[in-house]
Amino acid sequence: MKQVKDFIHTLLHYGGNNEMVDILVNLTSLATEMGWLVSEGYVLTVLAPNDEAMAKLTTDQLSELGAPEQIIYYHIIPEYQTEQSMHNAMRRFGKVWYDTLRLPHKVVAQEADGFMKFGQGDGSAYLFDPNVYTDGRISMQGIDGVLFPLEEETK
């Protein structure tokens, strides 16, 4: 739990991700679950949308039962990735599909116009703030959009 608290504390002091912090803090089950995963030896990478991206979410997107959890689960990759490791994977393989905590959905990462891009189509986001937080267990990468699984965008 200490590492998750340090992670959330860093987010609060870093700025630009207050909306993401509010969701993480208010979803106490999620923070507890993250703490349990880390304490059991699992590692996580969080793709954290900035406040501008979170502000674009509509009431409909957030009002469904469990919607905030599902959004956050789709932004958590159950492996430790830094900006450099993701960039190296993209350089080597082109497109890289990362598992998310929102099974069975995966998020795609690829290079676009010299930048790292996550997601596809209109629901994509660019890495704009790399390695906001890295401690060997939890990594946070700042992105400029909120990601949704592709089949949900078409509904």
Side-chain angles (χ1 to χ4, degrees):
M1 264 327 250
K2 182 183 178 335
Q3 284 179 303
V4 172
K5 287 180 182 175
D6 289 346
F7 166 69
I8 291 172
H9 182 75
T10 301
L11 283 177
L12 281 170
H13 285 57
Y14 183 77
N17 295 93
N18 292 330
E19 297 285 334
M20 180 81 164
V21 171
D22 284 345
I23 290 176
L24 284 172
V25 169
N26 290 327
L27 298 176
T28 55
S29 64
L30 179 60
T32 302
E33 191 171 325
M34 281 179 67
W36 180 83
L37 287 170
V38 171
S39 71
E40 290 294 312
Y42 290 91
V43 291
L44 303 169
T45 298
V46 179
L47 302 175
N50 62 7
D51 286 344
E52 291 174 15
M54 295 294 282
K56 292 178 186 173
L57 288 173
T58 65
T59 305
D60 290 342
Q61 290 171 311
L62 292 170
S63 64
E64 288 185 35
L65 186 62
E69 291 94 339
Q70 294 302 314
I71 291 169
I72 298 301
Y73 286 150
Y74 191 64
H75 288 77
I76 299 177
I77 299 170
E79 54 186 88
Y80 185 78
Q81 294 288 332
T82 63
E83 183 262 345
Q84 187 64 40
S85 64
M86 287 188 287
H87 186 72
N88 289 342
M90 280 183 259
R91 193 176 314 135
R92 184 172 179 192
F93 301 112
K95 282 186 179 181
V96 180
W97 292 89
Y98 292 106
D99 288 329
T100 68
L101 291 186
R102 185 172 177 185
L103 296 174
H105 300 289
K106 296 179 181 238
V107 65
V108 65
Q110 60 189 323
E111 193 170 334
D113 304 321
F115 297 99
M116 198 176 307
K117 178 177 136 180
F118 297 93
Q120 297 176 318
D122 292 339
S124 62
Y126 287 91
L127 177 72
F128 78 95
D129 214 352
N131 300 330
V132 171
Y133 179 87
T134 55
D135 71 357
R137 287 268 174 99
I138 301 174
S139 165
M140 185 186 116
Q141 307 299 321
I143 58 175
D144 67 354
V146 178
L147 303 172
F148 290 94
L150 190 56
E151 57 272 9
E152 288 192 6
E153 289 177 7
T154 58
K155 285 185 180 177

